[in-house]
Amino acid sequence: MTAAKALSIESPTAILSTWIREAFRGRFPDAESDFADIAVVETANPEFGDYQCNAAMGLAKVLRQAPRAIAETVAAAGEHPDCLARIEVAGPGFLNLYLDNDWLARHLEGIAADERFGAPEAGAGKTVVMDYGSPNMTKPLHIGHLRSHNIGSVLDRLHRFLGYKVIADNHLGDWGTQFGITIMGYRHFGDEAAMQTAPLEELERVYVLSYEQTKEDPAWMEQCRAELVKLQSGDPENLAMWEMFMRLSLEELDRVYARLGVQYDIVHGESYYRDKLAGTVEMLEQKGLAVESEGATVVFLEEEKLPVCIVRKSDGGFNYATSDLATVAARVEEFDPDRIIYVTDERQQLHFKQFFAVCRRLGYTVELDHIWFGLMRLPEATFSTREGNVIKLEALLHEAESRALDIIEASSPDMPEEERRAVAAAVGVGAVKYADLSQNPQSLVTFTWDKALALDGNSGPYLQYAYARIASVRDKYADRFPEGTPETEPLRLDETIERALALQSIRFGEVVTRAAHQYKPNVLTDYLYELAQTYSSFYQNVPFLKAPEGVRESRVRLCGIVAAILKQGLDLLGLKTLERI
Ligand code: ARG
């Protein structure tokens, strides 16, 4: 096969939208509208054409005509672009557009040869900083940490795919309140032996004990605050302890990230900006944005109807917002990004509103987006073993792999042990990721194993199996027709189901663009699921190897294109594809 190149391919949506806009302009030259908003959209139902335009309905007033008459006038506009086979008026004034079959086949061939499968290079020349994952340190990662890493890394890959320059930054919470609490806990309750065997669990244990103490004992709370201030002002003993905590935490992160396939360009935690915090507050004061209030330094955000944003506490300690303000300054200076994207759970909405409001007052022009997501809930009895109240992310991944292994042992008893384990890791971790990604990010996700591991629903394993099945068609063909070269045979789209599959395949580029720009990985999961379903009815409804020569090659080629699109899509979602399951 020849290597894919970057081609510039205009989608039928773009071609037809431009054409129909011009048709309106040509037909209604005196109208008090430039028709700039007119566009066609993909239809979900083939009864309404491949694409549809409903502009006539909204223009009845401006053009002083019935929508149906307007639609008829436009439909009769002479010259059609090559891609358009016919245009029909339906119902009260819908315009249904049908693509030319041959054009569709050639267009899909072009998309298959393009390294981006027809997606535009939307991000050319644009830089985006992505801040996701960003866990607070010294605690093991738990299931609550999945979504930010998972959704964030998909948005990261989607943007890179579209040609954006992405700087993925893991903005670790490594300089905040929890350190004062952990230092006190470690000093008073620390167990050396436990630190050797399970350090993060031990740190979490002492953190919890110390935290409980803060609720009962105000003096303890005071001391925790004092320890944090000491750390933040460079006390050597606290700093040494902090360094040890950090080293242990980072080892754990590396392990889990390798398993999840999460990668960063930079890992600049809050501590990286620690020498900038005092300067940030001073700068805010100098600009008259921050003022003294009850011993603290705050920015009033009454105009924005938001609560005050505290940038320096009365004990001299700095806040989360101070650190984010110092970080934004450094990012703008170092990377000059067009956009900074922050991915966190829904509970941080207020923080980002306040912090963005202060940024606007400071005159930053970089676009700042907070992408928040709902919590992930696990019903009782999701786990065979459950320790304590929080479920560790590693335990979730472990359970996923062992459940996947059971399924594979049942379905492929002949597979060698080592391969089976590798497949189980890919299917298990993929199932967990997909279960999260296939939901609207902003909704509450209820995770169940049945759904995550289902082989016949909208799940990761379903798509991984679908891919492996499609890939095997090519192998079967090669066995029977070793001389055949389906990749160079022209595609033919004579059957309705072939045409439907081709139509869906050419939409990949638009889907990926939408998923990236709307910050919704589920736009892509929905698409891949539908594509796999259409493929499955294609496979069931038309003969492949028994089809006449030419048709046979075209079908095998179409399979190969669908497989490549599925693989690319799953890759963007961070799911591995396997040639054999
Ligand atoms: N460390 C924070 C948390 O665990 C998330 C940080 C998000 N990024 C940021 N720049 N504020 O909740």
Side-chain angles (χ1 to χ4, degrees):
M1 242 204 239
T2 48
K5 290 193 289 277
L7 306 171
S8 175
I9 298 176
E10 210 182 2
S11 70
T13 316
I15 299 171
L16 292 172
S17 293
T18 308
W19 173 76
I20 209 156
R21 219 174 289 135
E22 287 309 319
F24 268 94
R25 285 176 187 151
R27 289 282 157 155
F28 300 100
D30 307 322
E32 283 165 41
S33 167
D34 62 358
F35 303 113
D37 296 337
I38 293 181
V40 305
V41 293
E42 302 159 358
T43 57
N45 184 342
E47 270 176 51
F48 305 133
D50 302 327
Y51 294 83
Q52 190 172 65
C53 175
N54 57 14
M57 258 69 73
L59 287 166
K61 256 214 177 104
V62 181
L63 301 175
R64 286 181 218 92
Q65 279 187 38
R68 193 160 171 112
I70 297 172
E72 266 155 11
T73 307
V74 172
E79 287 281 286
H80 286 181
D82 293 344
C83 65
L84 185 61
R86 59 179 209 283
I87 179 166
E88 283 170 3
V89 178
F94 292 108
L95 285 159
N96 298 346
L97 297 89
Y98 295 84
L99 292 186
D100 177 76
N101 251 7
D102 211 42
W103 185 91
L104 176 59
R106 302 294 82 76
H107 184 68
L108 181 54
E109 288 169 1
I111 279 179
D114 175 30
E115 63 174 16
R116 256 191 283 274
F117 295 100
E121 202 184 357
K126 296 198 185 106
T127 302
V128 184
V129 172
M130 296 218 177
D131 177 326
Y132 59 88
S134 309
N136 288 335
M137 304 297 277
T138 79
K139 285 182 216 166
L141 293 175
H142 54 79
I143 55 153
H145 288 108
L146 177 69
R147 299 201 85 189
S148 175
H149 288 96
N150 196 26
I151 296 170
S153 59
V154 174
L155 298 177
D156 172 342
R157 279 187 290 266
L158 286 168
H159 280 79
R160 283 179 213 260
F161 184 73
L162 294 175
Y164 287 88
K165 176 174 179 202
V166 175
I167 294 128
D169 186 3
N170 196 3
H171 188 74
L172 306 173
D174 60 0
W175 206 238
T177 322
Q178 81 270 30
F179 282 95
I181 300 171
T182 310
I183 288 172
M184 278 292 279
Y186 182 70
R187 211 170 264 154
H188 293 264
F189 315 116
D191 173 346
E192 269 315 306
M195 277 305 277
Q196 298 302 322
T197 48
L200 282 198
E201 283 71 13
E202 173 61 4
L203 286 181
E204 184 166 49
R205 186 186 70 87
V206 301
Y207 171 85
V208 170
L209 285 176
S210 177
Y211 181 72
E212 302 279 283
Q213 200 77 11
T214 60
K215 288 195 280 192
E216 283 157 29
D217 181 358
W220 186 278
M221 183 74 219
E222 274 314 303
Q223 196 53 39
C224 290
R225 289 213 180 101
E227 295 300 339
L228 178 68
V229 174
K230 261 167 72 186
L231 169 69
Q232 292 187 337
S233 50
D235 173 74
E237 196 191 326
N238 282 7
L239 210 52
M241 240 189 268
W242 175 82
E243 272 160 9
M244 172 189 58
F245 298 162
M246 286 298 294
R247 183 174 46 78
L248 296 167
S249 278
L250 288 169
E251 278 168 15
E252 195 235 4
L253 285 192
D254 283 347
R255 204 171 59 230
V256 181
Y257 287 177
R259 215 160 160 186
L260 278 179
V262 174
Q263 271 176 334
Y264 291 97
D265 299 297
I266 51 177
V267 184
H268 289 177
E270 293 175 356
S271 68
Y272 182 83
Y273 307 94
R274 62 196 186 211
D275 298 333
K276 304 264 164 50
L277 301 175
T280 302
V281 174
E282 260 166 49
M283 178 268 294
L284 289 166
E285 283 174 325
Q286 272 162 17
K287 297 203 170 188
L289 291 178
V291 292
E292 206 60 31
S293 171
E294 294 168 37
T297 311
V298 308
V299 181
F300 284 102
L301 297 169
E302 275 154 356
E303 246 171 71
E304 288 89 349
K305 299 200 173 61
L306 292 168
V308 289
C309 178
I310 302 173
V311 290
R312 181 173 220 151
K313 293 180 274 187
S314 50
D315 65 9
F318 300 106
N319 263 351
Y320 189 36
T322 330
S323 163
D324 263 329
L325 287 165
T327 306
V328 88
R331 285 174 176 166
V332 166
E333 186 176 304
E334 191 171 350
F335 305 112
D336 189 22
D338 297 276
R339 201 183 306 155
I340 307 179
I341 296 174
Y342 301 82
V343 187
T344 81
D345 75 47
E346 59 191 9
R347 292 170 301 188
Q348 298 200 24
Q349 288 177 83
L350 178 60
H351 163 72
F352 282 99
K353 278 188 190 141
Q354 292 177 303
F355 154 52
F356 290 173
V358 178
C359 287
R360 274 188 296 274
R361 292 212 189 168
L362 283 169
Y364 285 115
T365 52
V366 57
E367 184 185 330
L368 300 168
D369 284 344
H370 179 217
I371 298 146
W372 55 269
F373 52 83
L375 299 181
M376 188 158 110
R377 203 176 69 89
L378 279 81
E380 282 303 309
T382 305
F383 272 82
S384 47
T385 52
R386 187 168 169 156
E387 301 156 33
N389 285 325
V390 285
I391 297 156
K392 288 197 282 168
L393 188 48
E394 271 190 308
L396 180 78
L397 298 178
H398 179 76
E399 178 126 359
E401 285 181 23
S402 77
R403 284 177 185 255
L405 194 60
D406 290 345
I407 296 174
I408 292 150
E409 268 160 9
S411 68
S412 315
D414 308 330
M415 193 181 272
E417 172 75 15
E418 202 179 318
E419 188 180 348
R420 228 189 271 165
R421 294 207 167 269
V423 172
V427 172
V429 175
V432 168
K433 289 186 181 181
Y434 193 94
D436 165 11
L437 298 170
S438 56
Q439 308 290 316
N440 183 334
Q442 302 194 336
S443 63
L444 176 106
V445 173
T446 301
F447 180 91
T448 64
W449 290 114
D450 282 349
K451 202 166 163 246
L453 289 164
L455 294 178
D456 56 356
N458 186 7
S459 75
Y462 170 80
L463 289 174
Q464 284 167 322
Y465 269 90
Y467 173 79
R469 271 197 304 270
I470 302 176
S472 74
V473 169
R474 181 73 182 84
D475 295 343
K476 285 190 193 123
Y477 174 86
D479 279 349
R480 287 276 301 278
F481 307 97
E483 308 288 300
T485 51
E487 289 82 6
T488 55
E489 290 289 325
L491 284 176
R492 304 177 187 196
L493 304 173
D494 301 323
E495 297 287 336
T496 313
I497 187 71
E498 276 170 332
R499 200 176 179 282
L501 190 57
L503 261 180
Q504 253 174 7
S505 301
I506 65 165
R507 289 175 180 175
F508 178 76
E510 283 162 288
V511 167
V512 166
T513 310
R514 215 178 305 138
H517 292 162
Q518 295 178 0
Y519 303 134
K520 285 195 166 136
N522 61 311
V523 168
L524 179 55
T525 60
D526 285 351
Y527 167 81
L528 295 176
Y529 179 50
E530 274 173 37
L531 183 67
Q533 282 178 309
T534 309
Y535 172 80
S536 148
S537 46
F538 167 59
Y539 187 75
Q540 282 159 23
N541 285 301
V542 300
F544 279 69
L545 302 186
K546 289 188 182 133
E549 193 179 346
V551 175
R552 179 173 66 219
E553 279 66 28
S554 165
R555 287 186 184 154
V556 173
R557 182 176 184 190
L558 185 53
C559 279
I561 295 172
V562 172
I565 291 175
L566 269 183
K567 186 181 172 67
Q568 180 64 70
L570 289 172
D571 216 48
L572 289 166
L573 295 172
L575 267 75
K576 293 203 178 93
T577 38
L578 305 146
E579 303 302 311
R580 177 171 106 110
I581 300 191

